[in-house]
Amino acid sequence: MSKSIQSFNPSNGELLGEVNNASRDEVVQTIRQSKAAQKAWRKLPINERVRTIIRAYQHLDQHADSFSELLAREMGKDIGRAIGEATGAIYMGQHYAEEAQRALNTRKLSGSTELQYRPLGVVGVISPWNYPVMMANNLIVPALVAGNTVILKPSEETPLIAQAFFGELQKHLPEGVLTILHGDRETGKALVEGDIQMIAFTGSKAAGQDIMVRAASKVKRLVMELGGKDPMIVMRDANLEQAARFAVAGSFENSGQMCTSIERIYVDERIADKFEQRVTEIANMYQIGPWDLPNVNIGPIINATQHGKIADQLKDAQQKGATFLLGGIEQPERYIRPTVITGMTAEMKLETEETFGPVVAISRYSNIDDAIERANASEYGLGAVVFGNQGANAVADELDAGMVGINQGQGGSGDAPWVGAKQSGLGYHGSVDGHRQFAQVKVVSK
Ligand code: NAD
């Protein structure tokens, strides 16, 4: 096992730094310390824990610029989006802390019974690279408010921004309440198997399944946010301009490296020519490039493996008869050019496997029931979107997804949970109900 993990700028391969790759022994030792720190943390009244957490986040404000730059450099997103993620996480940390306090207050039930939300113990938060700050942040805050201590295992692709952001947060919390444990998937496995009580995971379905198996022997609590293959249905009476803009923006956001990326579009054949033409015009305005060049809106793909996976899906689509309206199978190193494909069929990898790249993949339908059936045929069920007027609500009712948008994105309002259906996840986070998943419910009758 390598003793360290190196981190590279995905737009040019430049080495940015390295971190320790924690061994099994180090994982065991960290869990022991985290457990010891939990004894005092859980005893603090919840309002004191929340006050401490909010104060810690307030200290982060002064570092927002440096966090944003490092995030952009290490992950590849443009500086505007990186600022949005870093400052958004600082705000959300405080907002979630307050919301979680309300969620976790003891509730009086009928008679003399009350419902308490008690700490579970040590929570392992394992996070991905695509939103390296926000994804971890959303899980760390409710876990801490509930009186747990947290061990964060950030992605090995983006350890430096995780260290900078959460390392700064850690400095303003009592010792041992938040610990960062760097490492690859072997470190993640050791953490899952360690003496911890809950795993809050965001990442791929394959890793999620492995975590479920390892967590089973001790029936550890799980919150799992896994992959997606979000469909978009465009009905005959949809506002074409809005639908085309959404289709491109939803497919290209974060270079397509987003769990709720629009990955498959089913468009009514009677409007398909116009829709495809407008989508292609809009997509053609996007530019690839590094985070610090102006006017760039599609950054690099995180690593060569992901790049190869996308390129393979494009080749597969071409071999099975798809047509490229923009882009093609020849792609530069590190980047995928904005790509629009029509003629996607159910046999193509583009339709069945998560793509995670800047690709608009379109298929035409003649019968709305077929479109719904194909939209639902995926093993995933994170988000889904329908654009249309008459009948759009009925279509939305039929879509098997945790989050559905009608003539808008699937995200929901600020107080909604982030939730996947089918194999996109287990449990959920965000919102009053989501925060409660980080606590043990205890019924006490006096
Ligand atoms: P990944 O599963 O490869 O890695 C995620 C994290 O898990 C990393 O820290 C990694 O080291 C660790 N890990 C990997 N295998 C493990 C194992 N067996 N045991 C313990 N830890 C393990 O995912 P990724 O490539 O970093 O992220 C992309 C994936 O994340 C996509 O599938 C995307 O859809 C998903 N994602 C989902 C959401 C959501 O909210 N549903 C949000 C963001 C990303």
Side-chain angles (χ1 to χ4, degrees):
M1 188 185 102
S2 162
K3 297 263 321 152
S4 66
I5 288 178
Q6 297 185 315
S7 179
F8 301 93
N9 176 337
S11 66
N12 59 16
E14 164 202 13
L15 179 64
L16 297 177
E18 59 182 33
V19 293
N20 177 45
N21 188 10
S23 65
R24 261 185 188 260
D25 285 350
E26 286 168 302
V27 173
V28 170
Q29 178 67 14
T30 302
I31 294 174
R32 206 174 291 137
Q33 288 161 354
S34 187
K35 232 178 142 153
Q38 204 251 339
K39 285 190 181 136
W41 182 243
R42 67 178 292 152
K43 285 212 176 94
L44 287 180
I46 188 167
N47 58 341
E48 260 184 60
R49 288 200 295 266
V50 167
R51 208 177 312 132
T52 306
I53 293 166
I54 289 178
R55 254 194 249 123
Y57 272 95
Q58 285 165 350
H59 282 285
L60 301 189
D61 262 334
Q62 58 189 304
H63 304 287
D65 287 347
S66 64
F67 292 153
S68 306
E69 188 179 321
L70 179 57
L71 169 49
R73 199 183 283 278
E74 191 180 34
M75 189 272 149
K77 66 184 70 186
D78 62 73
I79 189 67
R81 285 178 164 78
I83 292 171
E85 181 173 348
T87 56
I90 296 171
Y91 165 77
M92 283 306 284
Q94 300 169 64
H95 170 69
Y96 265 12
E98 285 170 353
E99 192 178 60
Q101 179 175 352
R102 286 198 300 279
L104 299 170
N105 271 326
T106 296
R107 287 160 64 193
K108 295 272 174 224
L109 302 182
S110 57
S112 61
T113 299
E114 65 182 32
L115 206 151
Q116 301 175 355
Y117 295 96
R118 309 293 298 168
L120 286 155
V122 178
V123 176
V125 170
I126 303 180
S127 54
W129 49 264
N130 60 342
Y131 291 90
V133 175
M134 200 55 115
M135 292 298 104
N137 204 59
N138 289 344
L139 306 175
I140 288 171
V141 178
L144 291 179
V145 173
N148 307 292
T149 48
V150 169
I151 300 175
L152 166 66
K153 208 300 279 170
S155 169
E156 55 272 48
E157 297 289 346
T158 47
L160 303 180
I161 179 58
Q163 184 60 47
F165 189 96
F166 296 105
E168 189 59 36
L169 186 70
Q170 182 186 39
K171 281 189 208 158
H172 305 285
L173 294 169
E175 201 178 335
V177 163
L178 172 64
T179 318
I180 306 168
L181 201 54
H182 289 290
D184 54 20
R185 67 183 51 195
E186 295 309 316
T187 308
K189 288 177 190 173
L191 178 61
V192 170
E193 288 172 352
D195 183 16
I196 65 174
Q197 285 62 52
M198 175 176 183
I199 300 114
F201 173 73
T202 309
S204 63
K205 185 187 126 183
Q209 287 173 311
D210 184 66
I211 289 171
M212 288 177 80
V213 171
R214 287 172 206 277
S217 67
K218 296 266 169 64
V219 195
K220 290 175 187 169
R221 302 297 183 268
L222 296 172
V223 165
M224 317 277 278
E225 297 290 352
L226 308 179
K229 188 74 195 163
D230 286 12
M232 172 183 183
I233 294 181
V234 185
M235 299 172 74
R236 187 189 184 182
D237 62 357
N239 178 321
L240 214 84
E241 181 63 19
Q242 275 177 13
R245 283 180 183 278
F246 182 85
V248 178
S251 303
F252 290 175
E253 182 60 32
N254 214 29
S255 309
Q257 302 170 121
M258 182 168 75
C259 53
T260 49
S261 192
I262 294 297
E263 295 240 330
R264 309 172 280 149
I265 298 175
Y266 304 103
V267 57
D268 189 308
E269 62 182 11
R270 291 167 291 187
I271 56 160
D273 283 346
K274 278 195 188 140
F275 176 75
E276 287 174 357
Q277 187 194 341
R278 192 64 191 123
V279 160
T280 308
E281 283 166 6
I282 298 167
N284 205 17
M285 293 190 278
Y286 279 66
Q287 300 218 1
I288 56 173
W291 67 278
D292 53 347
L293 269 193
N295 305 325
V296 158
N297 23 39
I298 297 184
I301 300 303
I302 191 71
N303 57 32
T305 308
Q306 281 296 126
H307 188 277
K309 223 177 86 182
I310 302 164
D312 172 60
Q313 289 195 14
L314 298 183
K315 266 195 211 116
D316 174 75
Q318 194 202 40
Q319 281 162 6
K320 291 175 181 161
T323 305
F324 284 80
L325 300 175
L326 190 68
I329 57 168
E330 295 307 324
Q331 295 289 346
E333 210 191 347
R334 302 185 187 283
Y335 292 88
I336 297 286
R337 286 182 283 130
T339 300
V340 179
I341 288 177
T342 187
M344 176 181 65
T345 64
E347 291 70 42
M348 293 174 188
K349 291 180 185 173
L350 263 187
E351 172 133 339
T352 56
E353 294 175 14
E354 196 175 35
T355 305
F356 239 52
V359 179
V360 185
I362 304 172
S363 184
R364 299 175 174 210
Y365 70 82
S366 54
N367 179 330
I368 187 70
D369 292 334
D370 293 342
I372 294 169
E373 196 174 316
R374 274 174 78 183
N376 285 341
S378 172
E379 64 197 26
Y380 293 114
L382 193 54
V385 168
V386 53
F387 271 70
N389 201 345
Q390 277 218 321
N393 288 352
V395 171
D397 275 352
E398 296 293 319
L399 293 172
D400 294 337
M403 300 175 285
V404 177
I406 303 172
N407 296 316
Q408 60 177 298
Q410 40 44 57
S413 54
D415 51 358
W418 187 260
V419 52
K422 298 195 281 186
Q423 296 178 46
S424 283
L426 182 78
Y428 54 92
H429 67 80
S431 78
V432 164
D433 287 337
H435 299 324
R436 288 179 175 151
Q437 304 212 6
F438 294 79
Q440 174 62 50
V441 170
K442 187 170 174 181
V443 174
V444 180
S445 303
K446 297 178 179 167

